[in-house]
Amino acid sequence: MNKFSFTFQMAPLFHYLFLFLVSSCAAQTSFRPKALLLPVTKDPSTLQYVTRINQRSPLVPVPLTLDLGGQFMWANCYTDYVSSTYRPARCKSAQCSLAKSTACSVECPGAPKPGCNNNTCALMPDNTVTRVATIGDLGSDLVSIQSTDGKNPGQVVLVPKFLFVCGSALDGLARGVVGMAGLGRSPISIPSQFSSAFSFRRIFAICLTSSSNSPGVVFFGDGPYRFLLNTDASSNLIYTPLIKNPVSTASAYTQGDASSEYFIGVKSIRINDKIVPVNKTLLTINREGYGGTKISTVNPYTVLQTSIYKAIITAFGNALSGVPRVASVAPFGLCFNSTSLTSTRVGPGVPQIDLVLQNNDVFWRIFGANSMVQVSEDVLCLGFVDGGVNPMTSIVIGGHQIEDNLLQFDLARSRLGFSSSLLFRQTTCANFNFTSNA
Ligand SMILES: *[C@@H]1O[C@H](CO)[C@@H](O)[C@H](O)[C@H]1NC(C)=O
Ligand SMILES: *[C@@H]1O[C@H](CO)[C@@H](O)[C@H](O)[C@H]1NC(C)=O
Ligand SMILES: *[C@@H]1O[C@H](CO)[C@@H](O)[C@H](O)[C@H]1NC(C)=O
Ligand SMILES: *[C@@H]1O[C@H](CO)[C@@H](O)[C@H](O)[C@H]1NC(C)=O
């Protein structure tokens, strides 16, 4: 794992320019959408969640790996980038201050083109899969996206100057993908830019699916979020505060940067209502930014600090002692012969795992469909992996554990709303009706 820390001199912030930027960003269209959406599919070989953003002039679909905690959208602009509307962000411009860029690339040798312009501010696009960060120009281009009434896709709307960063670290990303779609806590993340372009509340939601042909969905803006047959997944959410980690968790960062990832306050863990003994210190974020619990779409499975991992494996194994174990299959450490397990509406009948939040009555309950992974016809493994003795974050809730759960990030109120398994409501995240009614 590479870890660099760069320190740049802070550029002064121009507040009046910031206001100017926000108003000039507003979409030049009379139709004002209430919410927007992006379809998301799962890539079967990398287990990454992939979306497509229509960008450039003429518009092309740009495939990107979804990165829930990512700081912004980054994409390869060095090859096959053709657009008449690309504009570099000039050093000290409002766009650079909004993006908190403190680095200026003064001169780029050669003819100007996307990713190579004089006097352009730079940021560090982060491939959070391989943890390789590069340095790249900030620029803007046209983005087109479908609006939604919460039930179907509607009219397409345009954002003329959508900010993104040129990046080139594509190794490790799904085939065909040319960058990452960052939904993190940052003024230029995708949700931030859409909310300011269309003046809606800073809320977005993700509903991911394991299906590689029927897409799941990201909604920007508030609900309803309706799934067939007419289930509004934004109703009856359970809420927990979103927590800020004051220390960046990115592969490269400027000293003093906070993390753009979403942390929640897991206070304890229960299996079949029994407390699993874990070291509480690991559950809180310390001054160096270590510890705590975050949610990630880049990790396919939940990753646990070694002592927490061992405690969960032991407790889960004990709670399922009646079911024959089979040899474990990497990367998992606890596997069962599935022919001895019952099946329920919410997956294999196994002990429920509760992540207990702000108090004992608020918990995220993980059922079989989200805890167990089918690795072969009659082998099911507990879908948690060992993250080592000293990872920066003690619990990283990964993709398999959030599929078919709706997660709504309300940045204005700094809270996460979660639905628990939609399978209980006889629907799934693959059940959004993508037939347009525009
Ligand atoms: C940058 O400026 C130099 C000196 O003025 C010029 O020779 C070069 O072509 C410019 N490069 C770009 C990419 O604009
Ligand atoms: C709990 O974890 C903290 C942080 O890693 C460590 O310093 C401490 O020694 C651990 N306590 C026990 C009892 O293992
Ligand atoms: C699972 O149990 C069934 C029935 O006892 C047996 O036929 C099968 O071989 C077992 N599978 C494994 C992987 O042990
Ligand atoms: C999906 O939406 C379309 C367009 O509104 C509608 O005609 C169709 O009946 C919907 N499908 C289902 C299964 O409800």
Side-chain angles (χ1 to χ4, degrees):
M1 276 194 199
N2 301 319
K3 179 137 208 180
F4 306 101
S5 165
F6 291 94
T7 310
F8 294 109
Q9 220 181 350
M10 289 295 290
L13 279 170
F14 296 97
H15 292 287
Y16 61 98
L17 288 175
F18 169 81
L19 290 175
F20 164 76
L21 178 76
V22 169
S23 56
S24 73
C25 267
Q28 280 141 31
T29 159
S30 54
F31 171 69
R32 172 149 294 189
K34 276 178 45 221
L36 309 170
L37 59 76
L38 283 175
V40 184
T41 49
K42 188 171 186 176
D43 175 62
S45 65
T46 57
L47 308 179
Q48 288 165 23
Y49 301 95
V50 176
T51 189
R52 281 160 191 276
I53 292 189
N54 292 306
Q55 190 206 31
R56 310 173 197 177
S57 301
L59 286 164
V60 289
V62 178
L64 302 167
T65 292
L66 193 75
D67 184 6
L68 176 66
Q71 305 166 76
F72 39 71
M73 167 179 164
W74 66 264
N76 181 4
C77 73
Y78 307 103
T79 47
D80 301 327
Y81 196 102
V82 179
S83 179
S84 60
T85 42
Y86 177 85
R87 298 287 179 271
R90 298 303 179 189
C91 297
K92 300 199 165 143
S93 66
Q95 293 175 320
C96 298
S97 352
L98 177 67
K100 298 204 167 81
S101 165
T102 51
C104 178
S105 112
V106 178
E107 193 172 325
C108 186
K113 56 181 182 199
C116 179
N117 282 281
N118 286 343
N119 185 30
T120 302
C121 69
L123 286 166
M124 287 176 283
D126 191 358
N127 178 330
T128 53
V129 174
T130 54
R131 294 196 62 81
V132 172
T134 53
I135 210 156
D137 284 3
L138 178 68
S140 68
D141 209 335
L142 176 71
V143 157
S144 134
I145 182 161
Q146 269 175 315
S147 64
T148 182
D149 57 1
K151 207 173 164 200
N152 295 93
Q155 196 172 321
V156 165
V157 292
L158 300 176
V159 183
K161 290 180 180 163
F162 196 89
L163 291 165
F164 76 106
V165 180
C166 293
S168 55
L170 301 177
D171 283 355
L173 299 184
R175 200 165 156 190
V177 158
V178 297
M180 300 188 87
L183 306 181
R185 233 181 231 284
S186 136
I188 61 160
S189 72
I190 295 174
S192 301
Q193 290 195 67
F194 283 142
S195 316
S196 61
F198 300 104
S199 313
F200 49 68
R201 276 178 61 202
R202 292 199 303 136
I203 289 185
F204 72 97
I206 63 174
C207 203
L208 302 179
T209 169
S210 59
S211 163
S212 46
N213 33 41
S214 302
V217 58
V218 179
F219 296 101
F220 301 94
D222 207 350
Y225 313 127
R226 292 192 190 283
F227 292 81
L228 297 171
L229 299 159
N230 206 20
T231 299
D232 177 8
S234 71
S235 64
N236 306 315
L237 296 179
I238 303 167
Y239 294 97
T240 193
L242 285 169
I243 294 173
K244 283 186 187 151
N245 185 335
V247 181
S248 177
T249 46
S251 315
Y253 58 93
T254 305
Q255 209 100 96
D257 283 356
S259 174
S260 60
E261 298 195 89
Y262 298 104
F263 286 75
I264 55 171
V266 171
K267 292 246 172 67
S268 62
I269 300 165
R270 294 189 301 230
I271 290 181
N272 270 357
D273 293 322
K274 269 174 63 186
I275 298 267
V276 179
V278 299
N279 180 342
K280 289 269 162 80
T281 310
L282 294 168
L283 299 181
T284 56
I285 300 171
N286 73 11
R287 277 201 311 271
E288 286 80 46
Y290 275 69
T293 302
K294 71 181 182 187
I295 306 169
S296 162
T297 56
V298 161
N299 290 90
Y301 306 105
T302 293
V303 184
L304 302 165
Q305 190 273 349
T306 299
S307 68
I308 302 177
Y309 173 79
K310 285 186 176 158
I312 289 188
I313 292 283
T314 304
F316 197 89
N318 289 343
L320 253 190
S321 57
V323 174
R325 298 243 192 122
V326 298
S328 53
V329 179
F332 308 115
L334 183 62
C335 302
F336 299 92
N337 186 329
S338 62
T339 56
S340 308
L341 286 168
T342 58
S343 83
T344 73
R345 180 179 282 178
V346 286
V350 294
Q352 60 218 19
I353 303 173
D354 293 343
L355 305 178
V356 183
L357 299 160
Q358 62 270 36
N359 63 54
N360 284 339
D361 302 325
V362 182
F363 50 86
W364 177 330
R365 180 158 283 185
I366 301 171
F367 295 95
N370 291 109
S371 61
M372 305 306 287
V373 179
Q374 186 96 47
V375 298
S376 63
E377 199 178 310
D378 51 8
V379 177
L380 271 173
C381 300
L382 181 63
F384 290 9
V385 300
D386 185 347
V389 180
N390 198 26
M392 185 156 182
T393 303
S394 306
I395 302 180
V396 181
I397 301 174
H400 186 70
Q401 277 68 42
I402 60 179
E403 285 173 359
D404 293 323
N405 285 243
L406 181 108
L407 304 184
Q408 187 191 55
F409 297 82
D410 183 337
L411 305 179
R413 292 207 228 174
S414 198
R415 65 177 191 176
L416 168 73
F418 57 98
S419 66
S420 192
S421 181
L422 293 179
L423 304 178
F424 266 127
R425 299 200 225 166
Q426 290 172 291
T427 194
T428 73
C429 288
N431 269 346
F432 185 76
N433 185 348
F434 276 100
T435 307
S436 176
N437 60 10

